Amino acid sequence: MSTTPQSSDTSPGATSSGGSSVASLQTEHGTTTIADSVVAKIASLAAREVDGVSDLGGGVSNAVGSVVGRIRGAEHATSGVGVEVGTTQAAVDLVLKVLYPASIHQVAESVRQNVISRIESMTGLEVTEVNINVSDLAFPGAEKPEQPEQPPSRVS
């Protein structure tokens, strides 16, 4: 029994984390489709698992993720992640913040290896590249925890 990943969209470069295309795994027993948004979520979670990663996204990406998070009631899971899914392969672009004083090149390499490992083991797609853009350094203790706003008292 063999599984062959195949894309439902055969045009080159047709997918991204915002797209609607899927990778399709054909077997003699049926077809499994994996949306590119699923690949993006796997990449996001895998990157966050690595010590030294403070956050994903940066600048505009964080602002958009924050707005989407407020609408959905949760943080946008794929902020800072872009994917392109082909017939049997996937490519990933990540934007992340590294926690000071971690070694940026070691964190980037650990993220790259973890993302490749997770996507390949969970989807069967070959990851051809993981491009990482370190957009910022985060300093421990510099982030102020977000305090939920207290509604005004209705009674005195």
Side-chain angles (χ1 to χ4, degrees), residues 1-6 24-32 88 123-124:
M1 169 164 71
S2 68
T3 53
T4 307
Q6 295 181 341
S24 179
L25 302 170
Q26 294 273 339
T27 71
E28 63 219 36
H29 299 289
T31 302
T32 301
T88 59
T123 67

Side-chain angles (χ1 to χ4, degrees), residues 19-87:
S20 60
S21 64
V22 294
S24 179
L25 302 170
Q26 294 273 339
T27 71
E28 63 219 36
H29 299 289
T31 302
T32 301
T33 55
I34 303 169
D36 60 337
S37 62
V38 172
V39 176
K41 286 180 184 177
I42 294 168
S44 175
L45 292 169
R48 292 173 196 272
E49 290 174 348
V50 175
D51 287 337
V53 173
S54 170
D55 199 7
L56 292 177
V60 173
S61 178
N62 277 353
V64 171
S66 176
V67 170
V68 170
R70 291 179 200 272
I71 294 168
R72 292 185 178 172
E75 186 176 332
H76 188 49
T78 59
S79 177
V81 180
V83 300
E84 185 176 335
V85 180
T87 306

